[in-house]
Amino acid sequence: MTIRTPLGLIGAAAGIAAALAAFALLDAPTARAQVAAKVESQTRPNFGLLLDPPARTYRNRGAHHRRYDYRRHRPDRGPDWRPGGYRPGSEEIVLVDCGGNPGAGAVEDAVRRVRPGGTLVLRARGGPCVGWLNIDKPLTLIGEGGFDPRDWERSAQLTLQAPDGLPCMTVAQGVRVEIRDVVFASPRAGDAACVVGYGAEIVMNRVGFRHAGDEAAIYADGGLLDIRNAVLDAQTIAPAIVADGAVLNAWELTVLGAQSGMELTPGPGQTSRIAATTLKGTNAPNSFGPRSIGLLIRSGRDYGRVEIENAAVCGYVEGVVVEGASVAIKDSRICRADKGAVLYSGELRLEDSRIRASTVGVAAAAGHAVIVDNVFAGGMDEVIYREPRASVEAHGNRVWSQSVCRPSFRDRYRGRYEPYWRPGDGWECAHGSYPREWWDAEDGLFGLPYYDDGYQLDGYDRYRDGYGWYDRDGRYIGDDRWRGEDRWRRGGGWGW
């Protein structure tokens, strides 16, 4: 059997092969040029990105914060349901008597029944309501039992508890919700925050939180977070409150237990204010995870401003840290810190406040700092530290410290020495004991016994009364024969 191949087919195949070879030879320089261009585009600096940086950085939680899937939590909503898909309710006031109803869906259904602008009342006499409130319309949430933040340990009866690994409440974009007399609990939160708002207005008064997890107890991504008369116990390595691009107003707020107190990136336009607030850390340096910071204030694309007054930030490695924003601190206390306040960039005004630190009172790496009429105390190496890129204006500051307030001695009259203290850069050493009432409001919050930071020079009280002098080694020499200026003019000599 013979197989004959048509000459036309053979010719066609040869022509195709020749064409492919010619195309490869002609296209080789182009292919090499494309590879070179690709490599060049990957290595060339992107000057446009440098001149116009993105609004969010890798450090910013808002860039990758979890968006929760509510339909997975409530599959009965149907395939077409989505957050914000509630039908407007018709009831002005809805009362839910929970009594501990895990998985019943009573609180979730109650949100649907409330009309926009209505009121949802949670009654938790037999146990907390268990559920996830996904609020997509303006309403008021009230706990029937009331809440007194001054009696946190005894009156904190739980009102609303989150399912494991899920939030207590989420608030949709543009929605305003007012919350009163509610105690939230998220004992097994995992990587979920207890209260989450996306461009929402969350106003809280007389509320409490018991949160344990890896994320913040309250997370506000834009919008407004107004919290007053509240206690927040957050057992987490994350900041207890994260306000990312949001306006934060806090008054009579107490934060306990978290490795870091607050992380704030102030929103544009309005000024964020923190007043009469106590941030109490764990009083232990962290060996892993994020830095232990009482109040971290960053700046996004918009240069935000924060005002802090009558606040206490104690028990953190770094008390207040400013990265690019404008921050004013007045009549406040920073205690039990390695570094009291740190300015990496931006503006810091610290006025009429008390800072207790073991390493540095105020450290300025860059930016502009104004440090006026403050009290510094502790075993500091430096009171005010500045790097060349920072400008610091300091005056009127007093220091109680046994490390930086040791006197020098100079010969006043024939071997009789007087003590003197070299003035610091914008500060001077204070004499006498550190006031005990100040200690009680600072390190005394942790139950620590009183410690006097003031440098006690032997015989200094008698010396100030005009009697005696010192030798070159700083030993007090008592002498009642001469007083005042006479001790420098009469009876002197190296032979006595």
Side-chain angles (χ1 to χ4, degrees):
M1 175 178 173
T2 60
I3 300 175
R4 296 181 179 180
T5 303
L7 295 177
L9 182 60
I10 295 175
I16 292 174
L20 290 176
F23 178 79
L25 291 175
L26 293 174
D27 195 54
T30 305
R32 288 192 294 270
Q34 290 176 349
V35 172
K38 182 178 180 181
V39 172
E40 192 272 341
S41 66
Q42 293 175 346
T43 57
R44 181 181 58 211
N46 188 345
F47 293 103
L49 182 62
L50 298 176
L51 296 175
D52 190 15
R56 301 182 185 274
T57 66
Y58 73 96
R59 299 180 302 173
N60 197 318
R61 294 176 177 269
H64 53 78
H65 191 270
R66 174 180 176 181
R67 298 276 179 160
Y68 302 96
D69 185 358
Y70 191 81
R71 188 170 61 182
R72 186 175 300 174
H73 170 61
R74 291 299 307 274
D76 57 306
R77 296 300 182 194
D80 296 330
W81 187 92
R82 58 182 176 81
Y86 284 118
R87 291 174 297 176
S90 59
E91 301 181 40
E92 178 70 26
I93 300 176
V94 175
L95 171 63
V96 181
D97 195 344
C98 299
N101 60 339
V107 291
E108 291 94 332
D109 291 334
V111 174
R112 183 181 56 183
R113 291 160 49 195
V114 179
R115 74 168 184 82
T119 301
L120 174 61
V121 181
L122 300 181
R123 176 185 292 169
R125 296 178 181 178
C129 302
V130 179
W132 171 8
L133 300 184
N134 189 71
I135 299 176
D136 69 325
K137 54 191 169 185
L139 58 81
T140 299
L141 179 65
I142 300 177
E144 186 215 38
F147 173 66
D148 184 1
R150 297 169 297 181
D151 197 10
W152 168 244
E153 294 299 332
R154 291 189 298 175
S155 67
Q157 180 179 356
L158 298 181
T159 309
L160 178 64
Q161 179 173 321
D164 293 352
L166 294 175
C168 308
M169 182 178 69
T170 52
V171 186
Q173 175 83 24
V175 173
R176 178 182 176 90
V177 58
E178 298 184 12
I179 306 167
R180 297 197 302 271
D181 297 315
V182 175
V183 179
F184 295 93
S186 45
R188 292 171 292 276
D191 61 351
C194 183
V195 172
V196 182
Y198 298 112
E201 295 186 9
I202 304 175
V203 180
M204 305 184 193
N205 191 8
R206 300 192 304 272
V207 297
F209 287 84
R210 293 191 181 277
H211 174 76
D214 299 329
E215 268 293 345
I218 303 176
Y219 179 86
D221 186 357
L224 168 69
L225 175 61
D226 191 298
I227 181 167
R228 304 166 185 263
N229 301 298
V231 178
L232 202 160
D233 186 355
Q235 305 300 320
T236 174
I237 62 173
I241 298 176
V242 175
D244 185 4
V247 176
L248 172 66
N249 293 326
W251 185 81
E252 288 288 352
L253 168 66
T254 301
V255 176
L256 308 169
Q259 182 170 290
S260 297
M262 293 185 187
E263 181 180 314
L264 172 60
T265 304
Q270 301 183 40
T271 299
S272 295
R273 291 180 171 84
I274 301 172
T277 292
T278 299
L279 306 179
K280 186 177 178 182
T282 59
N283 192 28
N286 57 311
S287 57
F288 67 95
R291 292 178 297 167
S292 175
I293 300 175
L295 179 57
L296 173 59
I297 304 171
R298 289 174 169 156
S299 178
R301 185 181 296 274
D302 299 292
Y303 192 69
R305 177 170 176 79
V306 180
E307 294 180 356
I308 304 168
E309 187 172 0
N310 192 24
V313 182
C314 298
Y316 303 95
V317 175
E318 299 177 21
V320 177
V321 174
V322 181
E323 297 182 356
S326 176
V327 180
I329 304 174
K330 185 176 182 181
D331 296 326
S332 297
R333 308 185 305 277
I334 302 173
C335 55
R336 295 299 293 178
D338 287 352
K339 303 180 184 71
V342 183
L343 175 66
Y344 289 105
S345 60
E347 300 175 349
L348 171 64
R349 182 176 182 86
L350 183 63
E351 183 179 1
D352 292 324
S353 298
R354 300 199 303 268
I355 297 92
R356 295 186 57 82
S358 60
T359 304
V360 180
V362 176
H368 180 67
V370 178
I371 308 169
V372 181
D373 298 334
N374 300 287
V375 169
F376 293 89
M380 298 172 289
D381 299 327
E382 292 190 60
V383 179
I384 301 174
Y385 169 81
R386 76 183 74 185
E387 293 187 359
R389 294 187 302 157
S391 62
V392 176
E393 300 176 30
H395 60 83
N397 300 290
R398 295 176 294 162
V399 177
W400 274 267
S401 176
Q402 298 186 16
S403 56
V404 299
C405 285
R406 291 185 175 273
S408 300
F409 297 89
R410 56 191 172 196
D411 191 353
R412 179 73 180 270
Y413 175 68
R414 303 182 68 180
R416 300 178 182 180
Y417 287 78
E418 66 173 355
Y420 71 97
W421 284 263
R422 294 185 178 90
D425 188 4
W427 55 270
E428 61 181 14
C429 290
H431 303 298
S433 299
Y434 190 75
R436 186 180 292 269
E437 61 272 19
W438 291 358
W439 171 275
D440 293 339
E442 297 163 357
D443 291 27
L445 293 174
F446 298 91
L448 300 174
Y450 171 73
Y451 177 79
D452 187 6
D453 287 302
Y455 183 81
Q456 303 295 326
L457 185 60
D458 183 40
Y460 190 65
D461 290 339
R462 288 281 296 167
Y463 173 83
R464 287 195 301 179
D465 291 338
Y467 298 101
W469 53 85
Y470 290 87
D471 63 12
R472 64 183 301 171
D473 297 322
R475 291 186 293 264
Y476 177 70
I477 308 298
D479 192 313
D480 295 338
R481 294 175 299 169
W482 320 111
R483 183 180 181 184
E485 291 300 315
D486 288 343
R487 58 183 163 176
W488 308 123
R489 295 195 296 260
R490 305 179 63 181
W494 287 275
W496 39 262

